[in-house]
Amino acid sequence: MAMAAPTGSAAPVAPALCGHLALLLLLAAPAAHGYSFPQQHTMQYWARRLEQEIDGVMRIFGGVQQLRGIYNENRNLFEVKENVPRKLVEKVAGDIESLLAKKVRALKRLANAAEKFQKAHHWQDNIREEDIEYYDSKADTEYDDPDGEEIEREKSNSLKLEFTDDANFKTKVNYSYAAVQIPTDIYKGSTVILNELNWTQALEDVFIENRKEDPSLLWQVFGSATGVTRYYPATPWRAPNKIDLYDVRRRPWYIQGASSPKDMVIIVDVSGSVSGLTLKLMKTSVYEMLDTLSDDDYVNVASFNEKAKPVSCFKHLVQANIRNKKVFKEDVQGMVAKGTTDYKAGFEYAFDQLQNSNITRANCNKMIMMFTDGGEDRVQDVFEKYNWPNKTVRVFTFSVGQHNYDVTPLQWMACANKGYYFEIPSIGAIRINTQEYLDVLGRPMVLAGNRAKQVQWTNVYQDALGLGLVVTGTLPVFNLTEDSSDRKNQLILGVMGIDVALNDIKRLTPRYNLGANGYVFAIDLNGYVLLHPNLQPQIINFREPVTLDFLDAELEDENKEEIRRSMIDGNDGQRFIKTLIKSLDEQYIDEVFRTYTWAPIKSTNYSLGLVLPPYSTYYIQANLSDQILQVKYFEYLLPNSFESEGHVFIAPREYCKDLDLSDNNTEFLENFIALMEKVTPDSKQCDNFLLHNLILDTGITQQLVERVWKDQDLNTYSLLAVFAATDGGITRVFPNKAADDWEEEPEPFNASFYRRSLDNKGYIFKPPYRDAGYRGLDLENNTIGILVSTAVELSIGGKTLKPAVVGVKLDLEAWAEKFKVLASNRTDRDQLGARRCDPSTSCEMDCEANNKDLICVLIDDGGFLVLSNQEDHWYQVGKFFSEVDANLMSALYNNSFYTRKESYDFQSVCAPEAQSNTGAAPRGVFVPTVADLLNLAWWTSAAAWSLFQQFLYGLTYSSWFQTEEVAGDSMEARETSCIMKQTQYYFSTVNATYNAIIDCGNCSRLFHAQRLANTNLLFVVADKPLCSQCESVKLLQAEVRAPPRDPNQCELVDRPRYRKGPHICFDYNATEDTSDCGRGASFTPSLGVLLSLQLLLLYSSASRHPLPPAACL
């Protein structure tokens, strides 16, 4: 417990008064050897000395005043331009609208052509593979088995193409052809697939014409409802190193385009008859069903026997986002079979969920998905009560497992409620039969005709062919054929899609004129960011969209909630707010002022925002028309000038089209110089704004060297380096040799010291970051430096801007000694050790003479150690102070010197956690006998095909082949996406001087803390701890993996964030024909794939090696 006494304060109650009195007595009482703890006025005097020393060094070497003068002297070389937020937002929104409109035109041409081609196509019952010419994108793909052996490929009639590297697609392509991808679990020789390949071949000409009209087009894709994908231009398929389970019908863009939003309740029969393999099939089926839902959908999952109950903590429909679906998937695994079946309980629960109007939901398609092993009750009374006569809820029933129950009741339930009946006898039927319900939901869309042909833009997701982050414009494609009775066909043919890379959209946004801390962002109707500097997913996962909410990309507050709501509503607006931001290195929190400006991007469901600090309202635009001056300044970029003028790092920006970028700054500078010898800064292939500003800043920083740095002896003040960094992209470090130890980013806009200096007044200290496990280096051979920086503020014609940051790099060892002297009672005339104190003539301790008894430290605003009078602390400089002295850091936090901010990073990547294999599972896999293998008929039997299905999906569901006794850690290690919890500390508004006592019984400690003016430092003096009784809970700052269910999704869903679904809904059409409502599963094998995979299964089973999981697609 810490009792504090702020300066000038008086405690109103007796206990506090007693505490203060005890503190005063302790302060006054002499300690051992005749020394007493320093008085408050003494420590305030030390603080002033420290402030004066820091200010003096920065005034001499920082050169802030001199740099202001240099800018003013060169006023004729640049203009001060203004950023007008509303005009910027309007222009960028218009440019993005125009870009997407071009893609929409191409998309509509493709969709119309596809409908025309399919309508004109004549179905062929006797069509053969050799009759079709196409490029099979997987024909040249190499697949490896778990032991590294190549798996034999099926024979293919695929076209043989040649490919050339293409920078736009980041891969090899062929512009003369389209490519075809067919899922592994679909037999490409079937009549349906061959007819699909036949009529879609005509799309290639449209693909090519689209590209001629718009050469910037990226992937043009038709995803068929049969599973066939035809995409242009042709490129070999990017397959995983295991079995390829990509199916276009499960891609986020296809799901969004194929149906309107859904409210879905999944009910699972867990009665006693559902056991072993059947329960396992049901769990996997639910898992796959959840993957057919997008963020526009809402879902809940319940199990039932005699009673129904939710499988998770969710008591109502929740948004089908990644985090909620993950909760469902985890909890479904815990379902246990027992009791008897009561369909009534399950359906009543489901209808009650769908009738709950007090929650946020999709309010479009409503459906119940029931998984059961069979039963006799039709529960007609339930349907009469809840769903008839309007039948607003569709019912889909799934008969799971191999059994002898009468399935007529299940078929009747589906047919009587506008749904569909499916059979899932084995794992191989799961993926197909859990996604074909989308065909039923697509009927009202098809029947609505042109009204339903609305282009929708997706969330951000990872492109399966390597483009990186993309959004896709989608348009459904309808079957326009009619039967003999002139009735319209009601089947969706598929979805047409055109990709737009996020980088192409980013190129339309301003960057460098907004300054280091200004940026553009965009969000969709869910509040997910389309553009944002913090949108940086760390793992590629093709199966999941990248869904980062605006309030998770930034630190959430009420102002941002209101801005987000206004943007989702399609409004425009502007607001000046005070808010918290994280530093780029995520170690610090700053309280800053920002102007948010926003407006909708017309004809899309996106909204654009601009964030601008007050000091970025104006910016410099260089105008170096004097070519002689251009050449003179350019010479200061040449390495032969570095020894006299200091080393120059240039920001790796795209100054010219032909400039080769490099992560090595020396190499990049060489590339830049080589190009500048061929072109001028005014060349059309170069960005004149970037080049002129770079060259101007080269000259201006060189003048700083001549006027300030060259005339000073850095060693006199124990400085390792001085430096200046500018908005124009120059970082100059003096002397040249100091560049060898320079670890900051060459791009000032990506350097934490640069961005924080702009947002904070005064001198910003930045020690080298050390994590808790850092054990230090040999200080004799390794010099540690501490950066001190400050922004250069200009006022030109009443316009304020901050075009540069200057600073020094302190020598840790030398400044630690200086720190001890400045925080001591010794004057310049005193000699160390000259003072004598004894019990009769006591005197105050200080940080130099009494460093064995007194701890003196400087801690920055993030809680990191900067300087200490303890030599054993030197290797801990840069660590969070709780790692150095947990007891003292806790006292500082408890006395409100620091405030804590916790947040979550939803884009992280982690090593996989060991999985436990619980629930029902097969005890083993059937392995055929030698007699079976020699029998040719066996290879084409249902048993063989079932085994292929089990093996194929066993690769997807890693525990399928494992018995309950198999340990999870035997599985192949693979990085996965995860949530990390971040904790940052920052100064509170308390700015008082504190004397306090840390009450630990007989081991109490005194401490004093005071902020140093015009810096981000806290000066702390404290007794050394005398015994371990003063140990306290260590405050944690390091990023850690969030515990399971943290943040608590169960609580978050009860206060959902504001969102809007799509503006259109097609869930009903009076002319819909619901007579086609159920059938069994059909799964036609591909014999070549079957034979090779079956042999692999035999080998794996015989060797008793656990089968590894498939790569995440």
Side-chain angles (χ1 to χ4, degrees):
M1 169 180 183
M3 295 179 292
T7 303
S9 66
V13 292
L17 184 60
C18 293
H20 290 179
L21 182 60
L23 174 61
L24 293 173
L25 291 173
L26 279 167
L27 288 170
H33 314 297
Y35 289 101
S36 63
F37 191 81
Q39 297 292 318
Q40 182 170 303
H41 64 82
T42 300
M43 291 179 284
Q44 290 175 332
Y45 168 66
W46 294 346
R48 286 195 296 273
R49 291 177 69 177
L50 288 167
E51 292 164 357
Q52 290 166 2
E53 183 71 14
I54 293 167
D55 185 64
V57 169
M58 289 299 290
R59 285 181 181 275
I60 294 171
F61 290 95
V64 173
Q65 293 294 343
Q66 294 91 331
L67 195 54
R68 286 194 188 115
I70 293 169
Y71 272 107
N72 283 317
E73 290 171 16
N74 291 278
R75 182 68 186 80
N76 62 313
L77 300 180
F78 62 87
E79 298 176 65
V80 177
K81 295 286 188 176
E82 183 178 4
N83 285 315
V84 182
R86 290 187 183 274
K87 288 185 178 179
L88 283 173
V89 169
E90 182 181 349
K91 180 184 183 304
V92 175
D95 290 344
I96 295 175
E97 180 190 354
S98 298
L99 172 72
L100 299 184
K102 291 172 68 178
K103 316 306 176 188
V104 167
R105 288 194 292 272
L107 193 59
K108 289 181 176 179
R109 277 196 297 270
L110 279 168
N112 292 333
E115 291 174 348
K116 183 181 70 174
F117 295 151
Q118 194 275 337
K119 186 175 183 180
H121 175 256
H122 297 289
W123 179 269
Q124 301 177 46
D125 286 321
N126 300 319
I127 194 170
R128 299 174 302 169
E129 279 192 77
E130 49 266 34
D131 297 333
I132 307 295
E133 274 196 354
Y134 69 97
Y135 171 65
D136 182 351
S137 62
K138 297 198 290 187
D140 301 319
T141 302
E142 301 286 345
Y143 293 103
D144 293 338
D145 78 358
D147 293 306
E149 298 293 331
E150 183 181 336
I151 295 176
E152 182 180 352
R153 294 193 301 268
E154 291 183 89
K155 291 183 179 179
S156 173
N157 296 316
S158 173
L159 295 171
K160 303 300 181 183
L161 304 182
E162 293 184 358
F163 302 94
T164 55
D165 287 316
D166 189 280
N168 292 329
F169 288 91
K170 304 178 184 177
T171 189
K172 294 177 181 290
V173 301
N174 184 311
Y175 282 110
S176 299
Y177 294 89
V180 169
Q181 191 274 352
I182 301 173
T184 305
D185 53 355
I186 290 179
Y187 177 42
K188 61 186 179 185
S190 73
T191 305
V192 171
I193 298 301
L194 293 176
N195 275 278
E196 193 83 11
L197 292 173
N198 194 16
W199 76 259
T200 58
Q201 190 170 1
L203 288 172
E204 294 198 1
D205 292 336
V206 188
F207 287 147
I208 293 170
E209 285 301 315
N210 274 345
R211 181 177 177 270
K212 287 179 179 177
E213 290 198 21
D214 181 6
S216 68
L217 277 178
L218 296 176
W219 300 120
Q220 304 176 62
V221 188
F222 174 60
S224 166
T226 63
V228 172
T229 305
R230 190 178 284 271
Y231 61 90
Y232 176 87
T235 188
W237 188 247
R238 293 168 61 99
N241 59 359
K242 302 292 189 300
I243 301 303
D244 176 31
L245 293 180
Y246 177 96
D247 189 323
V248 69
R249 294 167 297 182
R250 290 181 170 271
R251 298 294 286 145
W253 64 270
Y254 184 96
I255 293 170
Q256 180 170 320
S259 65
S260 292
K262 302 174 279 293
D263 286 323
M264 176 187 291
V265 179
I266 302 171
I267 53 176
V268 185
D269 179 359
V270 292
S271 60
S273 62
V274 179
S275 59
L277 181 58
T278 303
L279 183 57
K280 185 98 173 183
L281 288 170
M282 287 186 179
K283 292 177 179 180
T284 307
S285 297
V286 173
Y287 193 101
E288 287 292 323
M289 181 66 73
L290 290 168
D291 281 342
T292 68
L293 302 177
S294 72
D295 291 79
D296 290 331
D297 303 320
Y298 283 74
V299 64
N300 202 355
V301 183
S303 61
F304 71 93
N305 37 41
E306 300 94 340
K307 294 181 179 180
K309 62 178 181 180
V311 298
S312 69
C313 58
F314 301 143
K315 307 304 181 188
H316 51 74
L317 291 170
V318 297
Q319 188 181 12
N321 57 38
I322 292 172
R323 279 174 253 165
N324 289 339
K325 288 193 288 189
K326 184 179 180 182
V327 172
F328 283 128
K329 290 176 180 180
E330 290 172 352
D331 291 344
V332 160
Q333 298 305 316
M335 293 191 305
V336 178
K338 61 180 179 180
T340 59
T341 304
D342 184 355
Y343 286 160
K344 184 175 182 178
F347 277 108
E348 285 187 337
Y349 177 88
F351 279 114
D352 286 341
Q353 289 277 301
L354 293 170
Q355 288 183 351
N356 184 356
S357 58
N358 296 322
I359 58 168
T360 305
R361 59 185 191 179
N363 284 319
C364 192
N365 286 294
K366 298 177 181 61
M367 67 204 69
I368 298 171
M369 325 297 276
M370 183 179 73
F371 294 90
T372 180
D373 62 344
E376 299 179 357
D377 191 0
R378 299 191 178 200
V379 290
Q380 181 170 340
D381 56 331
V382 175
F383 298 132
E384 289 175 347
K385 176 182 177 181
Y386 289 95
N387 203 36
W388 293 356
N390 296 326
K391 299 182 182 180
T392 56
V393 177
R394 296 182 189 266
V395 175
F396 295 86
T397 55
F398 298 81
S399 175
V400 183
Q402 301 195 14
H403 50 74
N404 296 320
Y405 296 119
D406 179 14
V407 298
T408 304
L410 297 180
Q411 292 175 323
W412 179 87
M413 290 180 197
C415 294
N417 293 279
K418 297 173 65 175
Y420 210 91
Y421 162 76
F422 298 97
E423 290 180 4
I424 303 178
S426 64
I427 193 169
I430 289 177
R431 275 167 62 93
I432 287 180
N433 287 311
T434 53
Q435 68 193 21
E436 289 201 343
Y437 76 92
L438 291 171
D439 291 343
V440 178
L441 299 190
R443 292 172 184 170
M445 291 179 63
V446 177
L447 295 171
N450 289 332
R451 288 191 302 113
K453 290 183 180 178
Q454 303 282 338
V455 174
Q456 296 188 67
W457 289 96
T458 67
N459 298 331
V460 178
Y461 69 95
Q462 293 277 3
D463 173 50
L465 288 171
L467 274 181
L469 296 180
V470 299
V471 293
T472 299
T474 67
L475 197 60
V477 179
F478 301 151
N479 189 329
L480 301 183
T481 60
E482 297 176 347
D483 62 18
S484 56
S485 304
D486 294 333
R487 286 187 303 180
K488 292 176 64 177
N489 194 298
Q490 54 186 20
L491 289 179
I492 186 170
L493 289 177
V495 177
M496 201 66 73
I498 287 184
D499 288 348
V500 178
L502 282 199
N503 285 336
D504 290 342
I505 299 178
K506 285 180 183 177
R507 291 190 186 98
L508 301 175
T509 64
R511 176 67 182 99
Y512 299 107
N513 60 300
L514 302 182
N517 291 316
Y519 58 91
V520 171
F521 70 98
I523 66 173
D524 63 17
L525 295 179
N526 279 302
Y528 299 146
V529 294
L530 163 74
L531 298 175
H532 198 285
N534 294 335
L535 179 63
Q536 299 174 352
Q538 300 299 304
I539 193 167
I540 295 176
N541 186 340
F542 299 135
R543 300 185 70 180
E544 296 177 350
V546 180
T547 53
L548 179 67
D549 196 284
F550 170 65
L551 297 178
D552 294 323
E554 307 197 355
L555 293 176
E556 182 176 356
D557 60 35
E558 289 184 5
N559 283 315
K560 290 176 184 174
E561 285 182 22
E562 293 172 8
I563 291 169
R564 177 181 177 276
R565 175 183 286 265
S566 179
M567 294 179 73
I568 290 172
D569 286 339
N571 301 323
D572 55 18
Q574 186 174 74
R575 183 175 292 193
F576 182 70
I577 67 173
K578 181 164 71 173
T579 187
L580 297 179
I581 63 167
K582 285 183 196 175
S583 64
L584 197 64
D585 56 17
E586 299 184 326
Q587 306 298 331
Y588 300 91
I589 296 284
D590 290 315
E591 189 174 58
V592 300
F593 290 96
R594 295 287 189 264
T595 298
Y596 281 72
T597 308
W598 62 95
I601 302 174
K602 297 175 183 177
S603 303
T604 74
N605 49 1
Y606 301 132
S607 183
L608 187 78
L610 170 68
V611 181
L612 211 59
Y615 50 80
S616 291
T617 301
Y618 300 98
Y619 64 96
I620 284 176
Q621 179 172 302
N623 181 21
L624 296 177
S625 55
D626 186 341
Q627 293 189 354
I628 296 176
L629 191 62
Q630 287 182 15
V631 173
K632 177 184 176 182
Y633 283 179
F634 178 75
E635 288 179 350
Y636 297 128
L637 281 175
L638 301 178
N640 58 19
S641 71
F642 289 176
E643 196 58 42
S644 61
E645 310 300 330
H647 192 100
V648 174
F649 297 92
I650 67 170
R653 300 174 182 175
E654 294 185 26
Y655 299 101
C656 299
K657 291 179 181 178
D658 294 335
L659 178 61
D660 293 329
L661 299 178
S662 173
D663 292 333
N664 182 303
N665 201 256
T666 300
E667 182 179 318
F668 178 71
L669 180 59
E670 291 173 355
N671 296 342
F672 177 80
I673 292 171
L675 184 64
M676 287 297 101
E677 291 174 349
K678 302 175 184 177
V679 301
T680 68
D682 298 311
S683 170
K684 291 182 179 180
Q685 65 164 294
C686 297
D687 187 318
N688 303 140
F689 170 75
L690 290 183
L691 266 181
H692 278 248
N693 278 24
L694 179 79
I695 295 172
L696 173 67
D697 286 356
T698 304
I700 283 179
T701 55
Q702 187 275 335
Q703 292 175 46
L704 182 65
V705 175
E706 293 294 332
R707 297 189 189 186
V708 181
W709 297 347
K710 277 188 176 180
D711 295 335
Q712 303 294 336
D713 181 6
L714 272 61
N715 293 326
T716 303
Y717 287 87
S718 305
L719 302 182
L720 300 175
V722 288
F723 60 89
T726 71
D727 276 0
I730 291 293
T731 302
R732 189 179 290 274
V733 180
F734 185 87
N736 183 42
K737 64 179 181 180
D740 296 338
D741 300 317
W742 187 256
E743 298 178 349
E744 305 305 313
E745 289 284 340
E747 169 57 83
F749 285 15
N750 293 340
S752 183
F753 81 87
Y754 191 86
R755 295 172 67 156
R756 295 203 69 219
S757 296
L758 295 175
D759 273 327
N760 293 277
K761 294 181 178 180
Y763 308 124
I764 305 303
F765 283 68
K766 179 183 176 291
Y769 174 71
R770 311 294 189 196
D771 60 29
Y774 180 75
R775 290 292 174 262
L777 302 168
D778 183 358
L779 294 178
E780 293 181 4
N781 300 322
N782 294 275
T783 305
I784 298 176
I786 298 168
L787 292 189
V788 188
S789 57
T790 188
V792 178
E793 185 173 295
L794 299 182
S795 182
I796 299 176
K799 301 171 182 178
T800 302
L801 61 158
K802 296 181 180 180
V805 169
V806 295
V808 302
K809 192 175 185 181
L810 309 180
D811 183 329
L812 170 63
E813 279 192 74
W815 271 78
E817 294 296 336
K818 188 189 296 279
F819 169 59
K820 288 194 289 187
V821 172
L822 292 171
S824 73
N825 297 321
R826 178 157 69 101
T827 65
D828 294 337
R829 291 170 295 178
D830 292 336
Q831 296 298 317
L832 181 62
R835 292 171 296 132
R836 293 288 183 269
C837 293
D838 55 54
S840 59
T841 59
S842 66
C843 55
E844 295 178 11
M845 291 189 286
D846 67 34
C847 300
E848 181 186 30
N850 309 97
N851 62 346
K852 293 183 179 179
D853 304 304
L854 201 63
I855 292 177
C856 303
V857 292
L858 291 177
I859 310 172
D860 71 15
D861 55 330
F864 296 95
L865 179 62
V866 176
L867 283 175
S868 173
N869 71 332
Q870 304 296 306
E871 192 168 337
D872 62 341
H873 284 179
W874 292 355
Y875 77 89
Q876 299 188 84
V877 163
K879 282 189 176 183
F880 184 59
F881 191 59
S882 193
E883 300 292 341
V884 181
D885 191 329
N887 174 251
L888 187 52
M889 185 65 196
S890 293
L892 294 172
Y893 175 69
N894 292 333
N895 279 276
S896 301
F897 275 99
Y898 287 94
T899 299
R900 179 166 58 192
K901 182 71 176 179
E902 293 181 343
S903 58
Y904 295 90
D905 179 4
F906 296 99
Q907 304 179 91
S908 295
V909 59
C910 301
E913 294 179 321
Q915 300 291 326
S916 61
N917 296 298
T918 60
R923 294 293 175 178
V925 178
F926 165 73
V927 179
T929 64
V930 175
D932 288 327
L933 294 175
L934 297 176
N935 184 351
L936 183 61
W938 181 86
W939 287 98
T940 57
S941 68
W945 184 238
S946 177
L947 266 178
F948 163 60
Q949 293 171 339
Q950 292 180 19
F951 175 77
L952 183 60
Y953 286 89
L955 292 175
T956 309
Y957 310 106
S958 55
S959 63
W960 186 262
F961 285 115
Q962 299 173 343
T963 63
E964 292 174 339
E965 290 79 14
V966 176
D969 58 4
S970 68
M971 295 161 61
E972 182 185 54
R974 186 173 64 248
E975 289 184 331
T976 61
S977 59
C978 62
I979 300 173
M980 299 296 287
K981 189 174 186 178
Q982 297 180 341
T983 306
Q984 287 92 9
Y985 291 79
Y986 60 102
F987 284 153
S988 67
T989 54
V990 174
N991 204 18
T993 298
Y994 266 74
N995 280 324
I997 179 172
I998 305 172
D999 188 4
C1000 300
N1002 295 329
C1003 296
S1004 296
R1005 298 175 67 187
L1006 290 168
F1007 79 90
H1008 165 90
Q1010 178 175 336
R1011 294 265 295 273
L1012 294 189
N1014 207 36
T1015 73
N1016 65 326
L1017 298 178
L1018 182 68
F1019 176 40
V1020 182
V1021 179
D1023 283 328
K1024 270 195 172 181
L1026 299 177
C1027 54
S1028 60
Q1029 289 181 11
C1030 249
E1031 291 181 357
S1032 60
V1033 177
K1034 183 188 292 184
L1035 297 176
L1036 297 178
Q1037 188 276 335
E1039 185 178 63
V1040 296
R1041 187 167 185 167
R1045 304 294 169 90
D1046 184 18
N1048 192 330
Q1049 287 298 114
C1050 305
E1051 295 178 0
L1052 292 177
V1053 295
D1054 288 329
R1055 50 179 192 280
R1057 287 171 172 165
Y1058 182 71
R1059 65 172 296 276
K1060 279 187 174 180
H1063 303 302
I1064 54 175
C1065 171
F1066 297 97
D1067 61 342
Y1068 172 78
N1069 191 289
T1071 64
E1072 179 184 346
D1073 179 8
T1074 61
S1075 60
D1076 180 14
C1077 57
R1079 53 176 172 76
S1082 62
F1083 205 74
T1084 308
S1086 170
L1087 186 58
V1089 175
L1090 168 64
L1091 292 175
S1092 57
L1093 290 178
Q1094 183 63 42
L1095 286 172
L1096 180 58
L1097 170 62
L1098 291 170
Y1099 175 79
S1100 301
S1101 301
S1103 61
R1104 295 186 179 180
H1105 290 156
L1107 293 171
C1112 187
L1113 302 177

